[in-house]
Amino acid sequence: MSTHASDPLAALGSLPGVADSVDSVRKAVDRVYGHRVMRRRSNEITSEAALRGARGSAALSGADWALEEVRRRTDFSADAEARTVGAALRLGAECGQLLSIWRQSPLRVLARLHLVAEGEPLASTGRPRQAGEPVDEPLIEAPLPDPAEVSGRLDGLAELIIAGGEAPALVTAAVVHGELLALRPFTSHNGLIARAAERIVLIGSGLDPKAICPAEVGHAELGRAAYVAAFEGYLSGTPEGMVAWIAHCGRAVELGVRESTAVCEALQRGAA
């Protein structure tokens, strides 16, 4: 992660090109919040965004189901793909319950997210992985940091979140997302958890307080190859790489906005 003496996240926000992404995302979010359907049916938009976001996150983790299949299915225990979709749905439902804890104890929230994703308490559930424990992450193949590095970097990330600062929500969300992908701190579901944490930041920051802008939809729409390529920019730690990752996350939010705008328009027509 890039560093700066006082506020490393704010320093990222000042990189050339980042302000354009931040501004574009803010304008897109403001537009969907101004849609006339939002004034009376925002709860429906929130529920639909959670469902579509879960579908998108699961797709990136290897379970690319049609939306109607996700909507129809009630049993998510049949096989690995079903369990991935079930984990994504549970995480989507849990995010809004953890906002008050996130700013005080983000590591507690991450532990809770792993427990929710796992669905049952195993020996490795809810704690950072230990030496020798395998990591099941189907998309990210970058070298795994050792447990000591994971612990130190998680502590550093938690300190940045607790300290707050002047960084735009998009920058903080992108860094939290990227850092969790880089660390893969748990034995399973790290991608799902990283994207859920991004969602928590976007909601809790006030950028998307009603949780109607599912970035996971956009990440899935942009595709797995583009996601991995942008993440490699984050891993590089270079200014150019960080800008590329933040911009990718910004585009994902804007595509999530587009998805919810379409839902608003369908509701307005009486078609959904």
Side-chain angles (χ1 to χ4, degrees):
M1 196 191 313
S2 299
T3 58
H4 183 272
S6 57
D7 189 343
L9 296 180
L12 289 175
S14 68
L15 289 173
V18 171
D20 291 340
S21 293
V22 169
D23 186 54
S24 182
V25 165
R26 166 52 71 189
K27 288 178 179 176
V29 172
D30 285 348
R31 282 195 298 273
V32 72
Y33 270 84
H35 198 287
R36 67 176 61 185
V37 169
M38 282 295 297
R39 290 197 292 271
R40 60 188 187 278
R41 303 181 73 174
S42 64
N43 288 343
E44 293 172 70
I45 310 301
T46 297
S47 296
E48 190 65 18
L51 181 73
R52 293 177 186 226
R55 193 219 73 82
S57 193
L60 285 172
S61 287
D64 192 0
W65 289 13
L67 180 64
E68 290 312 312
E69 176 67 10
V70 178
R71 199 189 303 280
R72 179 190 68 80
R73 187 75 71 95
T74 57
D75 179 10
F76 295 97
S77 62
D79 53 38
E81 283 198 8
R83 288 191 291 273
T84 295
V85 175
L89 287 167
R90 290 192 299 274
L91 286 170
E94 188 77 7
C95 286
Q97 313 302 313
L98 299 171
L99 298 174
S100 62
I101 306 171
W102 175 254
R103 287 298 297 269
Q104 283 76 42
S105 185
L107 299 186
R108 275 182 59 201
V109 170
L110 293 175
R112 172 65 184 170
L113 291 175
H114 188 234
L115 176 62
V116 168
E118 198 67 71
E120 57 181 328
L122 306 175
S124 60
T125 302
R127 61 156 175 79
R129 56 184 168 80
Q130 298 174 357
E133 288 184 326
V135 174
D136 178 17
E137 177 48 52
L139 185 56
I140 303 302
E141 298 179 351
L144 280 169
D146 64 44
E149 182 179 351
V150 169
S151 178
R153 286 171 65 175
L154 281 177
D155 286 344
L157 185 64
E159 288 171 7
L160 286 176
I161 293 164
I162 292 167
E166 301 301 319
L170 173 64
V171 173
T172 303
V175 168
V176 167
H177 184 170
E179 191 70 354
L180 292 174
L181 280 184
L183 296 178
R184 281 148 288 160
F186 301 107
T187 56
S188 61
H189 301 303
N190 288 290
L192 295 178
I193 291 167
R195 292 184 288 275
E198 178 185 50
R199 170 179 278 250
I200 288 172
V201 173
L202 293 172
I203 299 168
S205 67
L207 178 66
D208 180 24
K210 294 184 183 294
I212 61 166
C213 306
E216 306 96 320
V217 168
H219 287 302
E221 187 171 334
L222 290 166
R224 298 178 96 196
Y227 185 76
V228 172
F231 172 63
E232 287 172 356
Y234 180 87
L235 280 181
S236 75
T238 63
E240 296 80 10
M242 296 300 291
V243 169
W245 171 246
I246 293 166
H248 184 88
C249 291
R251 287 193 297 274
V253 175
E254 291 184 62
L255 289 169
V257 167
R258 187 176 72 179
E259 186 88 354
S260 287
T261 301
V263 172
C264 287
E265 291 172 357
L267 287 172
Q268 187 168 291
R269 294 191 305 268

